[in-house]
Amino acid sequence: MTRAMRSENFSLFHDNLDDYTKEIIVEKFYEDGMEVVEDYVIKEDKIEFFLNGNKFLSVMSIAQHQDAHILGFLLSEAVIKSFDDVESIVISEDGLKVEVIANISEEGYANLFKEKTLTSGCCIGVTGNAEKVFDCSFINTDYRVSVKNILSNMKLFNTSSKLFDNTGCVHKAELVLEDGEIFVAEDIGRHNAIDKVVGLASINKKDIKKSVLYATGRLSMEMVVKCVMHRIPIVVSKAAVTFQGIKSANEHGITLIGFARGNKMNVYTHSGRIDV
């Protein structure tokens, strides 16, 4: 069975904005008048996730990188350990249903149906792992990155995409691997964007244990927990961090960086990985 099966009529990697946006008429008001203009808004879809024949989740997302999204989510929730556990991923022709056949952790799967935590994420993220059901060992790595490298990558990361230029309504996540290879994903939800970018790296059989994750959203506890589950040692955002995010990063060995803008950044935990 093919590892990542897709409909012949559907491509995850097209750049046709019509697939993700709707053109609307907007009345713009100013202090001295108004005008009627054409504009674009993001199109969010309800996408259904199936695992081994059972529907287990519906997500409000943009219909892009759906295979990476479900894979990243299952990895985040410890339902699977790696892409090697996946036998097939099939995306429906309309892009709104994703079906995975995989060898799963029964404990991880059962945890999906226990009491959930409604997270602080945009578009209301839901996770079964915010209570640290699955213990993770401390991330202990000799991987180091310079301040110059991080800020330089952040400037490139902050370059807007076609989708953001047209809607102003997507978060972005980017993984920069040790060899410089980059994976990027966007979504209306910052959690979704992280799941997608991790899923993309996993599909491509990349080791992300020596990488830096760049994110556009605030780094709260559940965002950090995702990175703990994926063993990502350094996490950077141009936005703020929360106290619980700092506590989780410190406990699990993640270098947490916020307000990375221009020529400065705040390092909240495990600064020994950062070279001046």
Side-chain angles (χ1 to χ4, degrees):
M1 187 173 285
T2 303
R3 177 57 51 79
M5 297 171 59
R6 302 185 180 94
S7 164
E8 293 179 359
N9 299 320
F10 191 82
S11 170
L12 291 177
F13 301 104
H14 49 58
D15 292 320
N16 185 358
L17 291 181
D18 291 340
D19 293 321
Y20 316 126
T21 63
K22 286 285 188 181
E23 190 172 2
I24 62 170
I25 301 299
V26 177
E27 295 180 339
K28 281 196 171 185
F29 284 79
Y30 306 90
E31 289 183 353
D32 57 354
M34 64 88 70
E35 63 176 335
V36 178
V37 299
E38 294 181 349
D39 201 357
Y40 290 89
V41 294
I42 202 79
K43 184 175 72 172
E44 55 193 314
D45 289 302
K46 180 182 178 181
I47 300 176
E48 298 178 324
F49 286 172
F50 288 77
L51 180 60
N52 294 341
N54 298 311
K55 179 180 174 181
F56 71 94
L57 184 67
S58 293
V59 295
M60 297 305 297
S61 178
I62 60 174
Q64 181 186 54
H65 300 315
Q66 297 96 314
D67 55 353
H69 191 175
I70 191 171
L71 178 59
F73 180 81
L74 292 173
L75 288 166
S76 294
E77 298 294 322
V79 178
I80 61 175
K81 293 181 179 180
S82 74
F83 188 47
D84 290 335
D85 292 330
V86 176
E87 296 180 16
S88 69
I89 303 178
V90 179
I91 301 173
S92 63
E93 189 168 340
D94 63 6
L96 302 183
K97 180 188 292 185
V98 190
E99 299 182 75
V100 173
I101 302 297
N103 298 313
I104 65 172
S105 160
E106 293 298 336
E107 182 184 9
Y109 184 70
N111 188 57
L112 288 176
F113 302 99
K114 292 181 180 178
E115 180 180 356
K116 297 295 186 292
T117 297
L118 195 64
T119 74
S120 60
C122 54
C123 304
I124 308 300
V126 177
T127 180
N129 207 24
E131 306 302 328
K132 296 184 291 186
V133 173
F134 298 98
D135 292 330
C136 256
S137 59
F138 189 86
I139 297 176
N140 190 5
T141 176
D142 59 0
Y143 184 54
R144 303 171 67 90
V145 182
S146 70
V147 174
K148 182 178 180 180
N149 181 281
I150 290 174
L151 293 177
S152 176
N153 283 333
M154 178 57 81
K155 288 174 184 176
L156 294 174
F157 173 69
N158 282 333
T159 303
S160 60
S161 66
K162 291 181 181 179
L163 193 56
F164 186 86
D165 285 341
N166 277 270
T167 68
C169 192
V170 288
H171 280 287
K172 181 164 65 171
E174 177 179 289
L175 270 175
V176 180
L177 309 189
E178 185 178 26
D179 63 3
E181 187 170 4
I182 295 174
F183 293 92
V184 182
E186 292 177 302
D187 199 86
I188 54 175
R190 57 197 174 102
H191 304 79
N192 294 344
I194 289 180
D195 283 338
K196 286 182 176 183
V197 78
V198 168
L200 286 173
S202 181
I203 287 172
N204 285 276
K205 308 292 286 184
K206 300 297 181 180
D207 185 353
I208 62 174
K209 293 183 178 64
K210 290 189 176 182
S211 67
V212 180
L213 175 73
Y214 294 86
T216 53
R218 65 188 177 278
L219 298 176
S220 49
M221 182 194 71
E222 68 275 10
M223 298 283 280
V224 173
V225 168
K226 281 188 180 292
C227 297
V228 171
M229 297 301 290
H230 299 306
R231 316 300 290 162
I232 300 170
I234 302 173
V235 185
V236 186
S237 177
K238 65 179 181 181
V241 306
T242 69
F243 180 67
Q244 292 299 329
I246 293 171
K247 284 183 65 178
S248 183
N250 187 58
E251 178 181 352
H252 292 288
I254 283 182
T255 300
L256 192 66
I257 300 172
F259 295 114
R261 306 171 183 175
N263 62 353
K264 59 183 179 181
M265 62 190 196
N266 293 350
V267 183
Y268 297 93
T269 57
H270 302 286
S271 61
R273 296 193 185 108
I274 307 302
D275 292 329
V276 179

